[in-house]
């Protein structure tokens, strides 16, 4: 008769021997759930409930089990848990590009938040044709439990057949849609803060270096710019448009070099960086001749020359909310349908009163 092979959790107590031994003594084999149960003085079922975030464990017991897991270096076996729960503990991230600073910051925020919830992350970028259905198909083939869609990719999601995708979705920066949860930065509110700051410095109007067509964030920031000018009854100059990159900001400066331009609100910090370089090469002092405000508050914004006044976007809060809402949906809770993350203005040396 063939021998019966049993997992570590099924070994009899005399073969476990976990009590009194720490992580360094267990490196020869994988620490099992039974080892954790013995160390914590609880049943294997209780450990399983803690691992799977069940609410049916009192806080003191949960803390004792988690301490035992940390002491022994226990890591849940993802494949085994997938067989038990029908979930892989993996989420997907769909993004059009990772070249922009905003998308890269969101990737980091989502990865950190997913890790804190015990989920792995799979990233899929859209191909040159922007086929989001193909991206969802690749994620489904990899067995992800749900997905987060970022920024420029969201327009494609609204056009896709989401029933065919069969994924729980959270979309970052999109109009409200009953088919998925949405979280957005208060782009329009941040733009209003930037423009109001410049108008209060005495500038008669504010030019706008906008992001690309098709971007929800760019459209919302442009809307906030227009609303702030309208509220102040200030003239509305023609929009100059870039593609989020600093090179496009540099190129766009040619339309903003006339003496009538005393203030510019750039839709992101990268384009503002290109703008600062172009103004410097043209002999226009910032902020003496022209004030510049960006959006995002990237890590290097304080080191621009001059340090950039900008609108702070909370990428960590966006990533945490998106992951929490997605995991709630995956695990059967009712996820929040819509959330807006506020912005704030960070004033530095690139803005000054109108000359």
């Amino acid at each position: 008769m063939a021998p019966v092979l049993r997992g570590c959790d099924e070994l009899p107590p005399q073969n476990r021997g976990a009590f009194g031994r720490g992580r360094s003594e267990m490196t020869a084999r994988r620490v099992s759930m039974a080892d954790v149960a013995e160390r914590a003085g609880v049943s294997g079922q209780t450990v399983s409930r803690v691992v799977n975030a069940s609410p049916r464990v009192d806080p003191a017991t949960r803390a004792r089990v988690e301490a035992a897991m940390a002491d022994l270096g226990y890591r849940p076996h993802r494949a085994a848990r997938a067989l038990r729960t029908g979930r892989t503990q993996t989420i997907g991230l769909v993004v059009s590009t990772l070249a922009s600073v905003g998308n890269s910051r969101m990737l980091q925020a989502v990865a950190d938040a997913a890790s804190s919830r015990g989920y792995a992350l799979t990233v899929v970028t859209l191909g040159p044709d922007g086929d989001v259905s193909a991206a969802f198909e690749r994620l489904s083939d990899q067995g992800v439990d749900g997905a987060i869609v970022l920024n420029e990719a969201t327009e494609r999601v609204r056009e896709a057949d989401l029933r065919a995708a069969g994924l729980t979705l959270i979309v970052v920066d999109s109009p409200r849609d009953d088919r998925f949860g949405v979280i957005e930065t208060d782009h329009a509110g941040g733009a209003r803060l930037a423009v109001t700051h410049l108008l209060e410095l005495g500038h008669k109007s504010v030019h706008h270096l906008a992001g690309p067509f098709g971007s929800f964030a760019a459209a919302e920031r442009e809307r906030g710019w227009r609303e702030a000018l309208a509220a102040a009854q200030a003239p509305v100059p023609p929009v100059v448009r870039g593609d989020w990159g600093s090179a496009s900001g540099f190129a766009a400066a040619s339309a903003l070099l006339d003496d009538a331009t005393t203030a510019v609100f750039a839709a992101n910090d990268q384009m503002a960086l290109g703008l600062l370089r172009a103004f410097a090469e043209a002999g226009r002092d910032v902020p003496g001749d022209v004030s510049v405000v960006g959006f995002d508050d990237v890590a290097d914004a304080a080191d621009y020359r001059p340090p950039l006044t900008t609108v702070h976007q909370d990428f960590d809060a966006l990533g945490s909310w998106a992951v929490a809402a997605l995991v709630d949906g995956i695990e059967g809770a009712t996820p929040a349908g819509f959330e807006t993350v506020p912005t704030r203005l960070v004033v530095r040396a690139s803005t000054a009163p109108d000359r």
Side-chain angles (χ1 to χ4, degrees):
M1 179 176 178
V4 177
L5 300 179
R6 295 186 293 182
C8 292
D9 288 353
E10 299 178 272
L11 292 175
Q14 63 268 26
N15 290 340
R16 296 176 190 165
F19 188 77
R21 288 191 291 170
R23 184 184 309 182
S24 61
E25 298 176 58
M26 307 185 83
T27 54
R29 64 178 177 82
R30 185 183 183 93
V31 178
S32 73
M33 202 174 284
D35 296 328
V36 175
E38 186 173 355
R39 171 61 62 91
V42 299
S43 68
Q45 185 179 38
T46 298
V47 176
S48 177
R49 287 172 178 165
V50 172
V51 167
N52 291 293
S54 169
R56 297 172 58 193
V57 183
D58 72 81
T61 301
R62 183 183 302 277
R64 194 163 72 250
V65 171
E66 289 174 345
M69 291 166 64
D71 185 40
L72 296 175
Y74 174 75
R75 295 290 182 271
H77 194 287
R78 193 174 299 276
R81 184 163 56 187
L83 289 174
R84 291 196 308 272
T85 66
R87 300 193 300 267
T88 63
Q89 298 287 112
T90 302
I91 61 176
L93 184 72
V94 179
V95 60
S96 59
T97 176
L98 290 172
S100 70
V101 172
N103 284 355
S104 296
R105 289 281 301 276
M106 276 301 299
L107 170 60
Q108 184 66 58
V110 168
D112 289 344
S115 177
S116 72
R117 295 293 295 262
Y119 277 71
L121 182 66
T122 295
V123 180
V124 174
T125 56
L126 300 184
D129 56 357
D131 188 351
V132 74
S133 296
F136 287 151
E137 184 176 344
R138 293 199 298 276
L139 288 175
S140 295
D141 288 344
Q142 295 178 58
V144 303
D145 298 321
I148 295 170
V149 183
L150 293 188
N151 304 339
E152 288 77 17
T154 62
E155 184 177 18
R156 301 287 185 175
V157 171
R158 296 195 300 273
E159 300 168 354
D161 181 2
L162 300 184
R163 291 171 301 178
L167 293 173
T168 301
L169 291 179
I170 297 294
V171 176
V172 179
D173 285 343
S174 168
R176 299 190 189 204
D177 193 310
D178 292 339
R179 298 175 299 167
F180 45 74
V182 174
I183 181 171
E184 65 170 28
T185 290
D186 186 8
H187 301 285
R192 288 192 294 270
L193 289 174
V195 176
T196 300
H197 167 67
L198 292 166
L199 294 174
E200 288 177 346
L201 288 172
H203 297 277
K204 303 300 185 293
S205 186
V206 178
H207 287 69
H208 184 38
L209 173 52
F213 286 115
S215 165
F216 175 82
E220 286 294 285
R221 293 171 197 181
E222 182 178 338
R223 177 171 71 85
W225 166 72
R226 292 184 183 278
E227 289 175 352
L229 292 179
Q233 297 184 327
V236 181
V239 171
V240 180
R241 198 167 296 279
D243 63 7
W244 297 130
S246 56
S248 72
F250 181 83
S254 60
L256 300 168
L257 289 173
D258 60 277
D259 290 339
T261 302
T262 67
V264 181
F265 165 51
N268 77 335
D269 291 348
Q270 284 179 283
M271 293 194 297
L273 176 61
L275 201 60
L276 293 178
R277 177 192 161 203
F279 283 152
E281 291 187 3
R284 301 210 61 198
D285 181 66
V286 177
D289 295 320
V290 58
S291 290
V292 176
V293 179
F295 199 112
D296 284 339
D297 193 23
V298 299
D300 296 332
D303 296 316
Y304 286 7
R305 188 173 181 181
L308 184 66
T309 295
T310 185
V311 177
H312 180 82
Q313 183 175 191
D314 195 339
F315 292 104
D316 290 337
L318 284 166
S320 294
W321 190 96
V323 169
L326 181 60
V327 170
D328 284 348
I330 290 168
E331 297 182 354
T334 301
F338 185 83
E339 182 74 11
T340 299
V341 176
T343 54
R344 59 185 172 87
L345 184 69
V346 180
V347 178
R348 299 192 179 101
S350 67
T351 53
D354 186 2
R355 64 182 184 273

